[in-house]
C-alpha cells in the first residue's frame, strides 16, 4: 500500500452526509455550517448526500401499495413526501432559488405519481423500476442542498451520480465498473473543483452503461462516497452522521457505548461486515489502496474528533 505523490498542490476533502444529517431544514443548516467552516481550508470540496431520513423507505412503500391497488395509500405518501420537501425548502430558501427548486420538487412528485399509477395498472414492479423510484430521495436532496449552499454564497452544483457511477445491471445492489466510473468522475467533477464549485452528488445511485438508473444497496451512500473518493484520489473523506463516531456498540442499544478514536481499515471493515450500521460494509474497500483516511463525525457535534480510520 504505497501512498502515491499527487500532482495536486491543494488538498481535496469529500464530505458525506447521511439521512439524519440532511433530514430537516435545521439539519441541512448544521451540515452546511460544516462546509462553510471547512471551505477555506481545502483546495476543493465534494459533497455526497443521502435522502432525508425515512424517505427511501416511504418511496419503496409507494409501488408496493400500487400493486395492491391502494391508490389512497400511495397518493397519501406521495403528498406527504412532497409537503415535507417543500416545507424544508421554504424554511431554507427565502428568496433566491426558491421557485426553481419548488418546481423541480413538484415535477419529480408528479412523475412519481404517474409511475405508481402505471404500476397499479400493470400490477407489478421490477427491480429496475424500484431503482428509479428509490433514487428520488437523493435526487431531491442534492438539488435542495446545493440551492441552499448557493443561497449562502457558496458556489455549488447538484450532480446526479447516474452520470458518474457506472454499474452493472444488478438492480438494487449494483456493482460499480471502476474504470468507467473514474473516467466520468474526472471528466465531470474535476472541472467544477478547479473552478471552485462544490459538486453536491447524489449518494446511493448509479446507472448502467445504457443510462438506466441503478442503486448500490440500502445504506449505499457511504459506498458512493468512497467510490468517488478513490476515483478523485481525495486527501480525506469525512462521513458525517448522527453519532459521535464509530462506537464500541450501537449506542441506540448499548447505553454506555464509547467512541473508538482510531481504527485500522480491516478492523472497520470487519465491524461493518458484522453489522455496525454506521458504515455500509463496502465503504472501506475503495479507499484502502490509495490510503485515504476516513473520519466518522457527528454533524450535530462536529467539534468532537470522532473516529479516524486509516492504514
Ligand atoms: P447515516 O444516515 O448517517 O448513514 P445510519 O443510520 O446509516 O446513518 O448509521 C448511523 C447509526 O448507526 C447510528 O445512529 C447508530 O444507531 C448505528 N450504529 C450501529 N452500530 C454502531 C456503532 N458500532 N457505532 C456507531 N453507530 C452505530
Ligand atoms: N437513502 C438510501 C437508503 O436509505 C441510501 C443511504 O441513505 O445511504 O438506503
Ligand atoms: Mg448509513
Amino acid at each position: 500500500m504505497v501512498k502515491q505523490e499527487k500532482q495536486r498542490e491543494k488538498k481535496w476533502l469529500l464530505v458525506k452526509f447521511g439521512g439524519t444529517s440532511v433530514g430537516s431544514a435545521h439539519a441541512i443548516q448544521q451540515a452546511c455550517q460544516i462546509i462553510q467552516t471547512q471551505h477555506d481550508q481545502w483546495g476543493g470540496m465534494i459533497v455526497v448526500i443521502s435522502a432525508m431520513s425515512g424517505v427511501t423507505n416511504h418511496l419503496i412503500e409507494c409501488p408496493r401499495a400500487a400493486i395492491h391497488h391502494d391508490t389512497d395509500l400511495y397518493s397519501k405518501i406521495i403528498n406527504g413526501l412532497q409537503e415535507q420537501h417543500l416545507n424544508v425548502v421554504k424554511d431554507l430558501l427565502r428568496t433566491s432559488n426558491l421557485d426553481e427548486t419548488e418546481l423541480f420538487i413538484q415535477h419529480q412528485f408528479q412523475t412519481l405519481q404517474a409511475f405508481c399509477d402505471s404500476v397499479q395498472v400493470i400490477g407489478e414492479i421490477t427491480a429496475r423500476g424500484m431503482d428509479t423510484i428509490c433514487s428520488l430521495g437523493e435526487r431531491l436532496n442534492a438539488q435542495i442542498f446545493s440551492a441552499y449552499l448557493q443561497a449562502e454564497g457558496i458556489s455549488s452544483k447538484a450532480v446526479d451520480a447516474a452520470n458518474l457511477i457506472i454499474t452493472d445491471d444488478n438492480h438494487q445492489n449494483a456493482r460499480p465498473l471502476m474504470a468507467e466510473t473514474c473516467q466520468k468522475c474526472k471528466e465531470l467533477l474535476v472541472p467544477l473543483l478547479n473552478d471552485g464549485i462544490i459538486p453536491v452528488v447524489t449518494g446511493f445511485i448509479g446507472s448502467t452503461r445504457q443510462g438506466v438508473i441503478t442503486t448500490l444497496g440500502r445504506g449505499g451512500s457511504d459506498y458512493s462516497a468512497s467510490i468517488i473518493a478513490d476515483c478523485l484520489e481525495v486527501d480525506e473523506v469525512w462521513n458525517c452522521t448522527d453519532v459521535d463516531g464509530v462506537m464500541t456498540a450501537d449506542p441506540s442499544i448499548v447505553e454506555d457505548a464509547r467512541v473508538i478514536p482510531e481504527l485500522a481499515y480491516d478492523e472497520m471493515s470487519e465491524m461493518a461486515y458484522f453489522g455496525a450500521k454506521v458504515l455500509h460494509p463496502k465503504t472501506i474497500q475503495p479507499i484502502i489502496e490509495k490510503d485515504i483516511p476516513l473520519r466518522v463525525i457527528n454533524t450535530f457535534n462536529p467539534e468532537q474528533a470522532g473516529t479516524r480510520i486509516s492504514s
Side-chain angles (χ1 to χ4, degrees), residues 166-207:
I166 308 302
T167 71
D168 62 14
D169 62 359
N170 186 19
H171 286 281
Q172 310 246 268
N173 194 20
R175 206 170 51 87
L177 307 173
M178 286 307 286
E180 286 151 78
T181 298
C182 288
Q183 194 186 333
K184 294 276 183 196
C185 285
K186 283 174 189 148
E187 270 169 28
L188 292 171
L189 299 182
V190 173
L192 295 177
L193 292 165
N194 287 341
D195 285 347
I197 298 167
I198 299 183
V200 178
V201 183
T202 55
F204 185 46
I205 303 172
S207 78

Side-chain angles (χ1 to χ4, degrees), residues 16 18-19 50-51 56-57 138 204 217-222:
K16 180 255 167 181
S50 290
T56 310
N57 287 347
E138 272 71 12
F204 185 46
R218 295 303 308 272
S221 298
D222 299 325

Side-chain angles (χ1 to χ4, degrees), residues 78-88 90 105 109:
I78 292 170
N79 289 337
L81 288 173
Q82 173 163 265
E83 204 181 312
Q84 179 184 351
H85 286 83
L86 288 174
N87 285 340
V88 168
K90 278 196 192 92
I105 292 168
F109 282 108

Side-chain angles (χ1 to χ4, degrees), residues 62-63 66-67 69 71 74 78 110-126 129 133:
C62 292
I67 290 170
H69 302 285
T71 318
Y74 71 74
I78 292 170
Q110 275 161 14
T111 309
L112 175 61
Q113 180 78 39
F115 200 112
C116 290
D117 291 341
S118 64
V119 169
Q120 174 164 229
V121 174
I122 299 165
E124 68 165 353
I125 176 81
T126 58
I133 290 179

